[in-house]
Amino acid sequence: MKRKGCLIVVSGASGTGKGTVCAELLKKRSSLRYSISATTRSPRAGEQDGVQYFFHSRESFEKLIEDGGLLEWADVYGNYYGTPKAPVDKFLNEGQDILLEIDTQGALNVMEKMPDGIYVFLLPPSMEELERRLRTRGTDSEEVILRRLDSARGEVNAAKKYRYVVVNEVVKDAVDTIDAILTAEHAKVANNQDLLDKIAGL
């Protein structure tokens, strides 16, 4: 019997560097698959269906919701976004690890359906550093920055429900830590019952 893959979910407040850490983790662990989200927003220039997103009409997305075909979903400023369940199940059953980079609310919803997943919350070194990063990006207004900081405090509190917390002070160190977590999860007895039975001749 083939070992099932591991589901790893990475969340964190805006400005903690989730995208950068996840991109580097995918480079470091080439066997790790990335979960592509579904959305009803229109494709941007250069975007392809099934590459950046799975693009849906509102009707087909709502059918997915109705049929239980999403692990989590949300309506964001008039467009739906969500994580399709079928590709995640397929990769896990094939023994491949899959990475979800989703917000805290989405991760908490996935936890209810897949409690055995590896849930990692990415923290900034401090709230001061988070504010510095948000301001350095130069993409948000003062009002948006303050709203993101306020939201971050609530999200950090929700991190108590996760399995692991990783501080992203240096990207390489954060990536190495998450990679080590994944390695340790692979070595768990619960994930190696078939190997134990095989060696024991059962």
Side-chain angles (χ1 to χ4, degrees), residues 6 9 36 44 67 74-75 79 113 115 129 170 177 191 198 200:
C6 291
V9 178
I36 300 168
R44 293 176 185 144
D67 295 344
D75 188 333
N79 283 310
K113 295 172 182 170
E129 173 60 15
V170 177
T177 300
N191 290 331
K198 182 182 175 184

Side-chain angles (χ1 to χ4, degrees), residues 7-12 18 21-22 25 99-104 107 111 117-123 159 161-167 174 177-179 181-182 185:
L7 170 74
I8 180 162
V9 178
V10 177
S11 305
K18 295 186 299 295
V21 167
C22 287
L25 181 63
L99 170 67
L100 270 67
E101 180 201 333
I102 53 178
D103 65 18
T104 308
M111 269 181 216
I118 306 163
Y119 295 90
V120 178
F121 194 89
L122 206 59
L123 287 169
K161 296 181 179 178
Y162 283 64
R163 246 205 218 162
Y164 300 97
V165 290
V166 174
V167 176
T177 300
I178 298 172
D179 185 58
I181 288 169
L182 202 43
E185 289 282 338

Side-chain angles (χ1 to χ4, degrees), residues 68 71 88 110 172 201:
L71 286 173
V88 171
V110 176
K172 183 184 180 301

